[in-house]
Amino acid sequence: MTKIAFIGLGNMGGPMAANLVKAGHAVTGFDLSEASRNAAAKSGVSVAGAISQAVRETECVITMLPAGSHVIYVWDELLGFVDPGTLIIDSSTIDVESARKVHGFAEKAGCPSLDAPVSGGTAGAAAGALTFMVGGSDGAFSRGKHLLEAMGKKIVHCGDAGAGQAAKICNNMILGVSMAAVCEAFVLAERLGLSHQALFDVASTSSGQCWSLTSYCPVPGPVPASPANNDYKPGFMASLMLKDLMLSQQAAAASGATTPMGAQAAQLYSLFEKLGHGTEDFSGLIRMLRGTEAVKSG
Ligand code: NAD
């Protein structure tokens, strides 16, 4: 049993903290939102009134927050209250620069730390089936691995500080580009009089095969569980896809990498969001692509 503080009990953090409780750990949580605190209390998390209370005398602190600025703010605060040696893990999806900055804060405070963003979405969080991409020292990784295993089914140590965020951003740039490509292929097929099922049957067993097609097909029918069959309810919100694509472009600019397809996907999702579709599933992009005028004028 490990004494854990969990900060950020939202759509992802709430079920992740619940899985740590189920695995037998003592979890104290804090969130700014009363609704999130109440939901966490129902799943056995002991809710604190402030970060300072939540993190005292714990062996590990996990944060699951919206963006880099929140993580910097919260780590700066919590490191003033933890004992040296406490393991600090951030599982939010944030920019590599902020991730490396907070690793630096932790090092100064004498605390080992990990960046450990996830893929698998809210369904994966609820099922304890997330994939964790982890950056940090070997020592920090071996201390944190069993805790991540209580929330996920695949844990990959990607390298030193920031490597987990780098892996997450690269993976999600592939996802954004591949979904846009699959949507375009279905739109072209429609114009050519080819049925959705025929394109799916060919491409899913040919060189066009990819996750966006076979697990998340953007048209209803071929993959019954994909959000296209549920009026594009998320799933994975388009605004989160845009967030990750913007992080990839920020990282590309900072590192001098050339990513024209990632840049194009970011532009498409930015237009999709501006047209009011940010809360839809990201595969709903196909509906914008069918309305070619919106894309041409974007
Ligand atoms: P969310 O908005 O549901 O949860 C974030 C929580 O952080 C909120 O409850 C908010 O009140 C809390 N918070 C913000 N500032 C705080 C502070 N100073 N102190 C305490 N609590 C604070 O977001 P989410 O969907 O749970 O996503 C969390 C992170 O996981 C994001 O970085 C997101 O990009 C990433 N992510 C999300 C998904 C997904 O499908 N939702 C999938 C993979 C990764």
Side-chain angles (χ1 to χ4, degrees), residues 7 10-12 31-32 36 64-66 74 92-93 118 121 240 243:
I7 313 297
N11 292 323
M12 294 292 289
D31 194 293
L32 292 177
S36 298
M64 191 55 167
L65 298 162
V74 167
S92 327
T93 301
V118 300
L240 289 177
K243 172 192 166 186

Side-chain angles (χ1 to χ4, degrees), residues 6-16 30-37 50-51 63-71 73-75 77 90-94 117-125 130-131 133 165 168 172 234-237 239-241 243-244 247:
F6 206 114
I7 313 297
L9 301 163
N11 292 323
M12 294 292 289
M16 288 165 73
F30 177 72
D31 194 293
L32 292 177
S33 143
E34 191 183 350
S36 298
R37 292 198 300 271
I51 287 178
T63 53
M64 191 55 167
L65 298 162
S69 55
H70 304 89
V71 176
Y73 179 84
V74 167
W75 279 45
E77 180 176 352
D90 178 51
S91 282
S92 327
T93 301
I94 66 171
V118 300
S119 76
T122 48
L130 295 168
T131 294
M133 298 146 242
Q165 295 296 351
K168 168 80 185 175
N172 279 23
F236 185 47
M237 271 199 297
S239 60
L240 289 177
M241 183 76 257
K243 172 192 166 186
D244 294 352
L247 289 177

Side-chain angles (χ1 to χ4, degrees), residues 54-280:
V55 304
R56 261 185 226 283
E57 292 172 17
T58 52
E59 295 154 83
C60 173
V61 181
I62 301 175
T63 53
M64 191 55 167
L65 298 162
S69 55
H70 304 89
V71 176
I72 290 173
Y73 179 84
V74 167
W75 279 45
D76 193 32
E77 180 176 352
L78 73 86
L79 284 163
F81 298 97
V82 295
D83 294 327
T86 305
L87 175 64
I88 321 286
I89 302 175
D90 178 51
S91 282
S92 327
T93 301
I94 66 171
D95 58 290
V96 176
E97 200 185 327
S98 298
R100 290 193 175 136
K101 187 171 183 163
V102 296
H103 274 284
F105 290 177
E107 197 176 354
K108 262 197 194 148
C111 294
S113 56
L114 296 171
D115 52 290
V118 300
S119 76
T122 48
L130 295 168
T131 294
F132 282 87
M133 298 146 242
V134 190
S137 68
D138 289 343
F141 181 72
S142 55
R143 267 188 67 189
K145 189 164 180 259
H146 74 287
L147 300 176
L148 303 181
E149 280 167 348
M151 301 178 282
K153 64 170 192 229
K154 174 112 182 133
I155 322 294
V156 184
H157 190 195
C158 300
D160 289 335
Q165 295 296 351
K168 168 80 185 175
I169 288 167
C170 291
N171 178 73
N172 279 23
M173 188 174 77
I174 297 174
L175 178 64
V177 169
S178 67
M179 179 55 83
V182 170
C183 288
E184 286 184 9
F186 275 106
V187 171
L188 178 60
E190 288 165 4
R191 296 292 164 108
L192 297 175
L194 180 65
S195 75
H196 291 160
Q197 193 64 49
L199 174 59
F200 181 85
D201 289 345
V202 171
S204 64
T205 52
S206 303
S207 43
Q209 190 274 334
C210 63
W211 188 91
S212 294
L213 176 71
T214 56
S215 294
Y216 229 75
C217 188
V219 294
V223 177
S226 78
N229 299 280
N230 191 22
D231 200 26
Y232 299 95
K233 292 201 178 71
F236 185 47
M237 271 199 297
S239 60
L240 289 177
M241 183 76 257
L242 177 61
K243 172 192 166 186
D244 294 352
L245 284 165
M246 296 311 286
L247 289 177
S248 77
Q249 293 314 289
Q250 192 183 330
S255 63
T258 307
T259 58
M261 301 297 286
Q264 189 64 47
Q267 275 185 24
L268 282 172
Y269 277 101
S270 174
L271 176 58
F272 191 54
E273 188 181 60
K274 278 194 192 110
L275 291 172
H277 304 293
T279 57
E280 292 173 14

